[in-house]
Amino acid sequence: MTDAPMATAEAARHALHTMWSIRRFEEAVDDLFARGLMHGTMHLSIGQEASATGVCMALRPDDAITSTHRGHGHCIGKGADLTRMMAELLAKETGYCRGRGGSMHIADVATGNLGANGIVAGGIPIATGAALAYRMRGEDRVVACFFGDGATNEGAFHEAVNLAAIWKLPVVFVCENNKYGMSFSTEKSMAVENIADRAAAYGIPGVTVDGNDVSAVYEATRTAVDRARAGEGPTLVENLTYRWKGHSKSDKNLYRTKEEISEWRALDPILRFEHDLKESGLLSEEDIQGIRTQAMEEMRDAVRTANSAPDADPSDLLDAVFAPV
Amino acid sequence: MTSTQTTSAPTDTGREITYSEAIREAIGQAMEADERVFMLGEDIGIYGGAFGVSGDLYHRFGAERIRDTPISELGIVGAAVGAALAGMRPIVEIQFSDFTNQAMDQIVNQAAKIHFMLGGAATVPMVLRAPLGSGTGAAAQHSQSLEAWFAHVPGLKVVMPSSAADAKGLLLSAIDDPNPVIVLEHKLLYRTSGPVPEEAVRVPLGKTNVVRRGSDLTIVATGVMVSRSLEAAGILADEGVDVSVIDPRTLSPLDDAPILEDVGRTGRVLLVQEAPGHGGFTAEIAARITESPTIYRLLAPVKRLSGLNAPIPYAPQLETASVPQVADIVDQALTIMKES
Amino acid sequence: MTRLAIRMPKMSMTMTEGEVSEWMVEVGAEVAEGDVVCEVMTDKVDMEVESTVSGRLVEIVVASGVANVGDPIGWVEGEDTGGGFGDLLMAPEPDAAAVETTTEDVPATEAPRTVLETEDAPAPDPAAAPAAPDPAPSGPPAAVPRARGLAAERGIDLADVVGSGPDGLIRVADVEALAQPVAAPPAPPAAAPPAAPPTAAPATPATPATPARAAQPQARPAGDRKTAIRGAVARKMTPSAAIPQFTVWRTIELDAVDGLRQGVSWTTVLLRAYAAALREVPDLLCRWEDDRATESGPPSIALAVATDRGLLVPTFLEPDLGSAADLDAEIRTVVRSAHAGKLDPAYMGVANGSLSNLGGLGVDRFQALLTPPQASVLSLGSIRQRPVAVPGGVGLALTVEAGLTVDHRVADGAHAAELLQRLAARLSGAL
C-alpha cells in the first residue's frame, strides 16, 4: 500500500511509472502481434491504466487480486516482472506460466495475483473464496477482484458478491466498466444506470468512480480496502473507463463510432495525470520525461531478454497437470 | 478380501460403521488435525446434510468451519477454489452430483487448470464431494452418474469409493492431496455398513483394489457395482465360475496395471458400471486392455455391462431395469464363459 | 527524422497475409499514430489499418494487392519514438550471443512427446503397464486375437502352436501354418469340434510345422523358398493329424513287371498301377466332407518329390490312361522342374491319392500320412531282392513293401486290403 498518487513525489513517480509500463507493455504486445511475431490472441487495456494502477496502489503487497482476460495491467500494477510477462507471451520457458498460460492467464502468484481468467466472471467467486480463507485464518489480508462490466451479468457475479456480503468478507469488487462487453454496450446489457447500483441488492456499498483519474480510483479503493480490512465486508467499486483498442485483435469496432473512440482517447488517463502532476508541481517536465524514457527502455530490455530465453519445452507438458503429492 | 493392493486392514475391534458415518468421521478427523480444513455446502449445518453426511459436525466445529451456504453451486465451488488457492483445504458438498452442472466452469475451467495455467506456481487443494447414482426414485435430474465427464478433464482427480472403509480412507487422501479431487459417493451406499478403522488410515489415491481374485473371469466395477459384482461372484462360484472383482477406486489417474495383469491371467473381462455405456468410463478401461499386449491373452471379446443410454426414470421397476443388477452381472458372466 | 514502416498488420489469430484494397491517404500527407491509412481484406474480415507511427507518408509500397504480415506497405518520415518493439526481434541485436541460444536447445518444431504409457500423470508410485506377460502356465497362451479366432474356426488348440512372435506370441501365420483352408464356411467357434489330440506320427514327408523362432520377429527374408516350402508342407499336413487313419502293409513281388517295364521308372509303373487299382475300389475315390463320403472323381495322384528345396507334390490326373513311356517322360520333366523349384500349374490340381516312394533313399518301409482331403496314400520302400518262401524252401524275389494309409471315415480296412490286393495282381501280371 502506497500513499495516494498525488500525496508524495515518490508515490507520483510510482503511479506514473506503473501506468507507462502498462501502456508500453500493451503497445509492445500490439506491435509484436501485428508483425506476426506473437501467437494467440490478446486483450489490450490501453486507456484503462488508471484503474489497474490506482487499485493496486491501494493494496498491501500481501493483499491479493484476481484478474481477467484483460489482465496485463493488473499483473503489472501488482508488481509483476515485465520480462517474465513478455516471456510468457513469447512462449518461453521463463514465462510466468512456462508458456502454458499465455496472455489470458499470466499471473505472478508471488506478488499476490491469484490468476488471470479466460472465463468472464470466473475469478469473482475465487476472490470471495480467497477472502474467506484470509478471514478464517485470522489474517488481515484483502482481495481486490477485477472484472468487467459484462461479468456483472453472469450468475457467478451475483452468487459470489452475495456470499461475500453475507459473510462480510474482506474483498473489494472492482468493476472496470469500459462500456462494452465485447460489442454489447452497458446501455443494452442492464436496466440500471450504474453497475454500482447493483450493490444495493446485496446490502453492500457501491461507488461509481471516474476510472481515468488514478487519484479517484485510489481513494475509492482505499476506502473499500480499509472497510474490508476492518471486517466491514465487501464494496463494489465501479471504475468508468474505456478501452482504446478492440475487444481482441479481430475487432472491427463496428459497434462504436470513431468519434466516441476519439473522445475517449482525448481523455488519456496518463496525459491527464502528467498534467495534474505538472500543475501541482509535484513532478517536473524532466521528471516526467525521465519516467517515460525509463519505461520505454525497460520495455525494450524486457522484449530483448524475454526473446533470448529458451522456448517453452513441450517434453514435460504433463508434469504440471497434477501437483506432486 | 485379498489385499494385494493397499487396503486398510480391518481393525482388531471389527467395528462396523456406515459409509455415511465413515465419511463424517474422515471429515471430523481431518478438521481436528488441520485447521485449514473446512466444509461448505448447502444445508450441511443444522440440517446435517441432504443425505445426513455432515450430521453433528456443525455442533462440533461451529458455523465458521461447517459453513452453510445459499443455493449457489457456482459461487461456493468458486469460493472453494479461491480458498484453496489461498492456502485453505476446503471440502465442498454438492447436494447431488447433477448440480455440478451449475458449477462446471469453476470445476473444469478453474480448479482443474489453475495449477497448469500458472506453470505449477499455485495449487488448488480442494475436495468436492457429491452423491451420484440412481436407486432412490429421484428421477432424471437427481440420479446421474457423470464420473466420465470429470475423469476426462486433466487436472481433476476422480474417486468413487465403493465401501465404508474406502469412503473414509480415500476422502482422507483426497483432503491431503494438493490437487482438486472429486469424490463421487453412491447414494445407495450411504447406509451400508462395513469394517472401518477407527484411526485416520489413508487409502492412497491412484491404487486399484483387487477385491477378489479368481481364475476364470475378471470383473472390473465401480461404485455400487462393486458390491453387486461381489454378490454375483458368490452366485457364479456355485455355477463353477471363479471370478476376480476389481475396483479401480480412483478413476483419474487410473492405475491400470492390476487390471491388465488380472485380465491377462483370466483371458476374460466384464466391465460393469451404472453410467450409460456410450462414452462411459469403462470404455477407457476397455481401450487400455485393447491397446496393451493384454489383448493377446484374451479368450473372449471385452464386454461392458452398463446402464441404458437414457435418463434415469422415476418408476422403480423402470429404474431397476435401467442399470445393471446382480442377475445381469451373473448372466453376462455366464454368457462370456459359454462363448469362450 | 527517420523512415518508419507501416507494416501489414496481423489482425486475427489465423491471418498470414492481407490484401490491400484501398489507401485513404496520399503520399505527402501527414499521418498521426492511430489514423486509418488503408483498408485490408483478411481471411476473417475487412479491416482498417491504423498507422503505428506519426509523420509524413513518403512512399506507398503496396498500393493494392497481397502483402505478408509484417511486410512494409508504406513508409513514413517521422520521429522514432522507440515503439518499434518488433524490430528488436527482427534485427540482430548487439547481444547476439544470448539470442543464439533461442533456437538451438529446443527445436521449435519438436512436437510434444507422445505418451504411450497409460499413466495420465506421474504417479506417486509409477507402475508402468506390464509388458506382454511371458506365456504363463496359468493364463491362456498369448495370441493375436485374430489368430485366436482362426484357431477356433479350424479346431486347433493354441497350446499346440508355437508362436513366432515376440515372447512366443502366436500370430495368424502360425495358426495358418497348421490349418488348411476348408471349402465349407467355418463353423462358429462355439460349435467348433474339439481338436483331436495330435497323434505321434513318425517322420513322414510332412511333419507338423514348428516354425523356428526367428531371431528377429519379422517377415521372412524374400526368396527363402525352402522356408516357404516347409510352411506349405506344414499347412497341408498338420490337419492330417485330425483325421482317423490307418495303414495296411503288403509285400508285393515285382519280378514279373520288372521284365516288362523297358526302362520305365518304378515310380511310373507303380503310379499307373495305383491309379488303375483305385478305379476298382471306388470307396477310396471319395473324400470326407459335410459329415459324409463324397465322390472325388477319377484318380488324381500326387507324387511326392523330395527336392533339395523341400517336398513338392505334382499331381497327375488319371496317370493310368496314357502310355507308360509317355507318363515316364512326363514325370521326368515335371520332377526336373520341381528340383528347379518350378511347377507347371497343370500339375497343381487337387489330388485324391498320393504316392510316396522313399525306396531310392534306402528306406524299406514307412508310414505315410494322408494329405487332406485325399482318402489314401501309397508308400513304397526300396525295391530289391529279398528272401521269399518258395515251394520247398527259400528263394529270392524282387519285392517292395507297400503301405496304404486310408481315411477311416470313408473306407475300412477291407477296402485298403482290396486295393493292395489289386495292386499286387496288376504288378505281377501285365501292365
Side-chain angles (χ1 to χ4, degrees):
Chain A
M1 187 160 33
T2 56
D3 294 320
M6 302 281 286
T8 65
E10 193 191 343
R13 269 194 201 91
H14 175 80
L16 189 59
H17 179 258
T18 302
M19 287 203 276
W20 274 118
S21 295
I22 297 170
R23 175 75 52 96
R24 293 302 179 221
F25 186 87
E26 302 290 46
E27 286 173 347
V29 168
D30 201 21
D31 190 28
L32 293 169
F33 186 93
R35 305 259 201 117
L37 300 169
M38 194 174 271
H39 180 66
T41 186
M42 41 269 322
H43 309 87
L44 305 179
S45 65
I46 295 177
Q48 303 183 180
E49 295 88 348
S51 170
T53 304
V55 170
C56 290
M57 282 179 75
L59 298 172
R60 286 195 327 220
D62 63 337
D63 289 337
I65 63 168
T66 63
S67 174
T68 68
H69 58 281
R70 203 175 309 285
H72 301 164
H74 310 142
C75 207
I76 294 167
K78 200 67 180 65
D81 174 63
L82 297 179
T83 303
R84 289 195 65 193
M85 288 178 67
M86 187 52 71
E88 182 61 28
L89 285 167
L90 289 170
K92 301 295 184 179
E93 192 64 34
T94 54
Y96 270 119
C97 313
R98 297 179 61 210
R100 284 141 174 80
S103 167
M104 283 202 288
H105 305 298
I106 292 179
D108 177 15
V109 179
T111 53
N113 187 341
L114 296 178
N117 215 304
I119 305 292
V120 171
I124 309 178
I126 294 175
T128 294
L132 173 62
Y134 300 152
R135 154 64 56 77
M136 291 179 74
R137 285 206 299 258
E139 299 169 9
D140 67 344
R141 293 158 76 185
V142 171
V143 185
C145 170
F146 287 102
F147 50 93
D149 48 280
T152 65
N153 301 314
E154 288 273 10
F157 164 80
H158 299 272
E159 299 184 23
V161 172
N162 187 54
L163 287 177
I166 61 171
W167 293 339
K168 282 199 163 5
L169 296 178
V171 56
V172 179
F173 295 104
V174 180
C175 178
E176 298 185 318
N177 180 355
N178 62 17
K179 296 177 61 71
Y180 295 94
M182 199 154 165
S183 67
F184 205 66
S185 71
T186 48
E187 284 85 2
K188 291 181 187 167
S189 68
M190 60 188 201
V192 288
E193 190 171 349
N194 297 304
I195 284 165
D197 298 346
R198 294 183 157 184
Y202 307 107
I204 63 169
V207 290
T208 303
V209 182
D210 178 350
N212 279 12
D213 178 350
V214 69
S215 298
V217 171
Y218 173 89
E219 292 303 338
T221 310
R222 181 67 195 269
T223 303
V225 166
D226 290 347
R227 280 191 73 248
R229 221 183 292 285
E232 293 167 39
T235 305
L236 175 57
V237 176
E238 176 187 15
N239 293 332
L240 293 174
T241 182
Y242 199 80
R243 57 170 158 80
W244 294 7
K245 299 282 180 174
H247 161 75
S248 67
K249 294 305 296 189
S250 35
D251 182 345
K252 280 188 77 176
N253 286 319
L254 294 176
Y255 48 88
R256 53 186 189 176
T257 63
K258 287 197 170 58
E259 291 71 29
E260 183 183 278
I261 298 173
S262 300
E263 278 168 33
W264 277 94
R265 283 179 80 130
L267 302 173
D268 185 331
I270 306 184
L271 298 186
R272 176 174 167 181
F273 183 55
E274 286 180 347
H275 172 82
D276 291 349
L277 290 172
K278 282 185 280 191
E279 284 283 291
S280 69
L282 206 55
L283 293 184
S284 67
E285 178 66 47
E286 291 70 38
D287 291 336
I288 290 168
Q289 202 51 57
I291 290 168
R292 285 183 173 206
T293 306
Q294 182 196 354
M296 178 62 88
E297 284 311 311
E298 284 168 353
M299 197 60 240
R300 292 177 71 84
D301 285 348
V303 171
R304 268 194 292 261
T305 310
N307 191 54
S308 66
D311 290 340
D313 181 4
S315 68
D316 57 354
L317 201 48
L318 294 176
D319 288 3
V321 174
F322 290 112
V325 178
Chain B
M1 185 91 173
T2 56
S3 52
T4 52
Q5 303 300 315
T6 329
T7 50
S8 22
T11 45
D12 300 339
T13 60
R15 178 194 70 141
E16 293 210 352
I17 57 173
T18 66
Y19 185 93
S20 175
E21 287 163 343
I23 296 166
R24 178 157 64 249
E25 193 169 81
I27 296 169
Q29 288 173 344
M31 286 179 67
E32 278 167 6
D34 186 347
E35 286 219 323
R36 299 172 302 169
V37 179
F38 71 104
M39 193 174 162
L40 69 171
E42 297 156 20
D43 308 306
I44 63 171
I46 201 86
Y47 189 93
F51 285 86
V53 173
S54 49
D56 63 348
L57 291 174
Y58 175 77
H59 299 291
R60 289 177 54 201
F61 295 101
E64 267 290 297
R65 296 183 70 197
I66 302 296
R67 190 168 274 271
D68 246 334
T69 68
I71 303 171
S72 308
E73 286 80 15
L74 180 74
I76 61 181
V77 174
V81 174
L85 201 48
M88 298 294 278
R89 298 260 162 172
I91 304 168
V92 182
E93 177 180 294
I94 297 292
Q95 279 195 354
F96 286 81
S97 61
D98 311 67
F99 303 162
T100 55
N101 282 297
Q102 280 90 317
M104 213 43 107
D105 169 61
Q106 287 295 329
I107 298 168
V108 174
N109 290 326
Q110 313 297 346
K113 295 177 173 58
I114 284 171
H115 177 72
F116 181 86
M117 290 190 312
L118 293 173
T123 58
V124 185
M126 64 176 281
V127 176
L128 187 153
R129 296 178 36 248
L132 93 167
S134 67
T136 63
Q141 294 182 332
H142 293 72
S143 304
Q144 294 166 88
S145 297
L146 300 176
E147 68 272 14
W149 288 15
F150 299 115
H152 188 65
V153 178
L156 295 177
K157 293 193 177 181
V158 183
V159 174
M160 280 178 85
S162 66
S163 69
D166 281 356
K168 179 177 177 182
L170 290 168
L171 180 54
L172 286 167
S173 293
I175 295 166
D176 292 344
D177 201 279
N179 299 284
V181 183
I182 312 288
V183 182
L184 297 167
E185 300 156 359
H186 201 287
K187 50 181 82 83
L188 289 183
L189 294 174
Y190 279 134
R191 293 184 185 177
T192 62
S193 297
V196 178
E198 292 189 38
E199 40 308 331
V201 177
R202 266 75 174 157
V203 173
L205 303 186
K207 278 284 179 200
T208 287
N209 185 22
V210 180
V211 187
R212 184 185 197 278
R213 197 181 277 280
S215 56
D216 297 330
L217 165 72
T218 305
I219 296 178
V220 184
T222 53
V224 77
M225 293 299 153
V226 176
S227 43
R228 285 187 194 170
S229 297
L230 286 169
E231 203 178 322
I235 298 168
L236 288 162
D238 296 342
E239 302 270 347
V241 179
D242 183 20
V243 303
S244 294
V245 177
I246 298 184
D247 175 12
R249 295 195 294 205
T250 304
L251 306 195
S252 182
L254 176 64
D255 169 27
D256 57 12
I259 299 172
L260 297 177
E261 187 278 324
D262 203 77
V263 173
R265 209 170 42 78
T266 64
R268 301 180 186 92
V269 61
L270 174 60
L271 307 167
V272 190
Q273 67 175 19
E274 175 174 330
H278 187 88
F281 180 76
T282 48
E284 173 66 20
I285 299 177
R288 298 219 184 172
I289 292 167
T290 53
E291 68 191 1
S292 77
T294 303
I295 192 172
Y296 303 134
R297 317 298 300 254
L298 291 177
L299 298 168
V302 176
K303 279 277 189 234
R304 287 186 291 155
L305 177 61
S306 315
L308 299 181
N309 293 313
I312 298 292
Y314 158 72
Q317 70 280 16
L318 301 182
E319 190 176 24
T320 302
S322 294
V323 302
Q325 307 295 329
V326 173
D328 301 321
I329 301 171
V330 171
D331 286 351
Q332 269 294 342
L334 291 176
T335 302
I336 295 170
M337 294 309 298
K338 261 204 284 287
E339 292 179 354
S340 62
Chain C
M1 284 299 218
T2 325
R3 268 170 71 92
L4 305 165
I6 298 175
R7 296 174 188 275
M8 173 61 71
K10 180 175 171 179
M11 292 180 283
S12 77
M13 282 203 240
T14 50
M15 178 176 167
T16 57
E17 59 180 27
E19 187 175 353
V20 178
S21 54
E22 187 191 356
W23 279 83
M24 316 305 192
V25 289
E26 294 175 357
V27 173
E30 288 291 325
V31 295
E33 187 193 338
D35 286 357
V36 174
V37 291
C38 67
E39 272 215 342
V40 162
M41 293 183 280
T42 75
D43 61 339
K44 259 180 125 174
V45 285
D46 296 349
M47 300 279 287
E48 293 174 334
V49 175
E50 295 172 0
S51 177
T52 50
V53 293
S54 300
R56 195 166 56 87
L57 186 67
V58 294
E59 187 189 343
I60 291 178
V61 180
V62 183
S64 69
V66 176
N68 288 327
V69 162
D71 286 355
I73 54 176
W75 291 97
V76 168
E77 275 200 348
E79 286 297 326
D80 183 355
T81 55
F85 296 99
D87 298 343
L88 300 173
L89 272 58
M90 297 174 90
E93 281 302 315
D95 191 12
V99 182
E100 275 171 28
T101 60
T102 55
T103 50
E104 277 180 24
D105 303 344
V106 186
T109 53
E110 189 178 308
R113 175 172 54 94
T114 308
V115 180
L116 289 176
E117 284 87 38
T118 47
E119 285 292 340
D120 306 290
D125 176 10
D134 283 339
S138 60
V144 175
R146 189 165 178 173
R148 199 177 289 288
L150 187 69
E153 281 171 24
R154 301 282 191 267
I156 292 168
D157 187 343
L158 284 177
D160 299 333
V161 184
V162 177
S164 61
D167 295 325
L169 173 68
I170 297 168
R171 295 168 152 164
V172 174
D174 302 329
V175 176
E176 276 180 343
L178 304 190
Q180 156 120 350
V182 292
T199 52
T204 69
T207 51
T210 51
R213 177 84 63 83
Q216 286 177 304
Q218 283 171 357
R220 295 187 190 98
D224 187 351
R225 282 199 59 83
K226 190 168 177 179
T227 313
I229 287 172
R230 287 260 55 83
V233 171
R235 280 193 295 279
K236 263 186 118 60
M237 299 310 298
T238 304
S240 181
I243 297 170
Q245 50 192 301
F246 62 88
T247 307
V248 293
W249 306 96
R250 183 169 177 146
T251 304
I252 296 175
E253 296 191 8
L254 299 171
D255 288 301
V257 77
D258 189 34
L260 298 170
R261 63 186 178 109
Q262 298 174 317
V264 171
S265 72
W266 279 116
T267 298
T268 304
V269 170
L270 293 160
L271 182 62
R272 296 178 84 242
Y274 174 39
L278 277 172
R279 289 183 192 273
E280 294 164 354
V281 189
D283 288 275
L284 292 175
L285 287 176
C286 286
R287 65 166 171 268
W288 189 254
E289 199 175 82
D290 295 340
D291 289 345
R292 50 193 285 271
T294 309
E295 284 184 19
S296 58
S300 177
I301 312 298
L303 184 66
V305 181
T307 73
D308 54 6
R309 297 156 179 270
L311 189 70
L312 282 186
V313 273
T315 299
F316 295 86
L317 181 62
E318 302 188 85
D320 54 329
L321 295 186
S323 78
D326 287 353
L327 179 66
D328 198 54
E330 191 182 349
I331 288 176
R332 286 178 203 279
T333 307
V334 172
V335 169
R336 255 201 309 278
S337 61
H339 279 291
K342 299 193 193 80
L343 201 55
D344 187 317
Y347 300 97
M348 291 183 184
V350 178
N352 49 20
S354 288
L355 180 79
S356 185
N357 182 357
L358 293 180
L361 301 174
V363 170
D364 283 336
R365 55 182 265 172
F366 67 100
Q367 178 187 354
L369 280 184
L370 284 171
T371 306
Q374 301 165 20
S376 68
V377 53
L378 184 67
S379 66
L380 299 167
S382 56
I383 296 169
R384 48 192 177 94
Q385 298 287 337
R386 291 185 176 86
V388 291
V390 292
V394 177
L396 286 178
L398 192 65
T399 62
V400 65
E401 288 283 296
L404 187 76
T405 303
V406 167
D407 183 344
H408 207 333
R409 297 171 304 179
V410 302
D412 301 325
H415 298 109
E418 187 185 352
L419 188 123
L420 288 181
Q421 163 70 36
R422 290 177 179 276
L423 186 68
R426 290 184 162 276
L427 294 170
S428 58
L431 275 169

